[in-house]
């Protein structure tokens, strides 16, 4: 939050062609409260970390279910990438739908495709470690053999 406040103060003093300056213009035109402005900027920064968590979580899930890399199967209790796409709330819903959903999806798709293409023998090296975090589901480490 302190970082978000500092970034806002910098752009207020010297606005530029960036999303924070645009948000400040809206805020100062009275369409956002200061709290909304600060939390939006904070979420933009935090959002930068979430695709990295998702990529590591996806690699962990794929390594734990190698059948999904070989021949996807339909079974409600299994990770099943071939299942019909159902609506989900991963990026929320409604007016606060994630601003970064599309870049996040693209980033994850590119990272996983490149990793699996370059390392077709990708395999777990040790048991992954989870990082306790009340806000996100993240790994502290995911040792693999490339
Ligand atoms: C796997 C990646 C991501 C997931 C799962 C995710 C998930 C979410 C969720 C659930 C919300 C709604 C939060 C709420 O209602 O309180 C949200 C909001 C938001 N996300 Fe993401 N996000 C991701 C990536 C990103 C990225 C990459 C960015 C920016 C570059 C971003 C920026 C934002 C912003 C600014 C909001 C607030 C939108 C608003 O309140 O109008 N997110 N995200």
């Amino acid at each position: 939050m302190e970082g978000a406040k500092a970034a806002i103060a910098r752009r207020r003093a010297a606005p530029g062609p960036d999303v924070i300056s645009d948000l400040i213009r809206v805020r100062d035109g009275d369409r956002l409260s200061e709290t909304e402005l600060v939390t939006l900027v904070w979420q933009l920064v935090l959002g930068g970390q979430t695709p990295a968590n998702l990529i590591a979580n996806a690699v962990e899930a794929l390594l734990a279910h190698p059948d999904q890399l070989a021949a996807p199967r339909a079974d409600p209790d299994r990770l099943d990438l071939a299942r019909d796409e159902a609506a989900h709330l991963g990026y929320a819903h409604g007016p606060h739908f994630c601003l970064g959903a599309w870049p996040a999806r693209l980033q994850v798709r590119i990272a996983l495709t490149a990793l699996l293409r370059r390392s077709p023998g990708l395999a777990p090296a040790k048991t992954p470690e989870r990082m306790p975090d009340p806000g996100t589901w993240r790994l502290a480490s995911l040792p693999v053999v490339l």
Side-chain angles (χ1 to χ4, degrees), residues 64-82:
H65 301 84
D67 57 305
Q68 286 300 302
L69 287 171
R73 281 188 276 167
D75 176 340
D77 295 328
R78 299 177 65 98
L79 174 70
D80 182 356
L81 302 182

Side-chain angles (χ1 to χ4, degrees), residues 55-56 58-66 69 111-125 142-146:
I55 290 162
V59 171
E60 184 201 20
L62 287 171
L63 292 178
H65 301 84
L69 287 171
L112 291 178
T113 306
L115 178 67
L116 294 170
R117 223 174 247 157
R118 281 183 208 167
S119 302
L122 190 73
L142 178 62
V144 294
V145 180
L146 293 175

Side-chain angles (χ1 to χ4, degrees), residues 40 43-44 47-48 50-51 54 89-92 95-100 104:
L40 262 176
Q43 267 185 302
L44 275 174
T50 50
L54 176 53
L89 295 172
Y91 293 100
H96 292 282
F97 182 75
C98 175
L99 205 67

Side-chain angles (χ1 to χ4, degrees), residues 4-146:
K5 286 181 187 165
I8 290 165
R10 279 199 299 277
R11 298 310 191 293
R12 255 204 185 110
D18 57 83
V19 70
I20 297 181
S21 301
D22 283 347
L23 287 171
I24 290 170
R25 273 188 278 277
V26 174
R27 151 73 188 138
D28 294 346
D30 207 23
R31 282 162 52 206
L32 276 182
S33 72
E34 189 68 18
T35 304
E36 285 169 332
L37 172 64
V38 171
T39 50
L40 262 176
V41 171
W42 177 75
Q43 267 185 302
L44 275 174
V45 176
L46 183 77
Q49 303 172 12
T50 50
N53 292 336
L54 176 53
I55 290 162
N57 287 330
V59 171
E60 184 201 20
L62 287 171
L63 292 178
H65 301 84
D67 57 305
Q68 286 300 302
L69 287 171
R73 281 188 276 167
D75 176 340
D77 295 328
R78 299 177 65 98
L79 174 70
D80 182 356
L81 302 182
R83 189 171 298 155
D84 283 345
E85 201 173 308
H88 67 80
L89 295 172
Y91 293 100
H93 183 71
H96 292 282
F97 182 75
C98 175
L99 205 67
W102 287 106
R105 285 174 171 141
L106 194 62
Q107 205 174 324
V108 173
R109 184 181 310 159
I110 291 170
L112 291 178
T113 306
L115 178 67
L116 294 170
R117 223 174 247 157
R118 281 183 208 167
S119 302
L122 190 73
K126 281 189 200 156
T127 310
E129 279 175 34
R130 288 260 146 218
M131 183 181 284
D133 180 339
T136 56
W137 179 242
R138 63 171 70 197
L139 285 160
S141 69
L142 178 62
V144 294
V145 180
L146 293 175

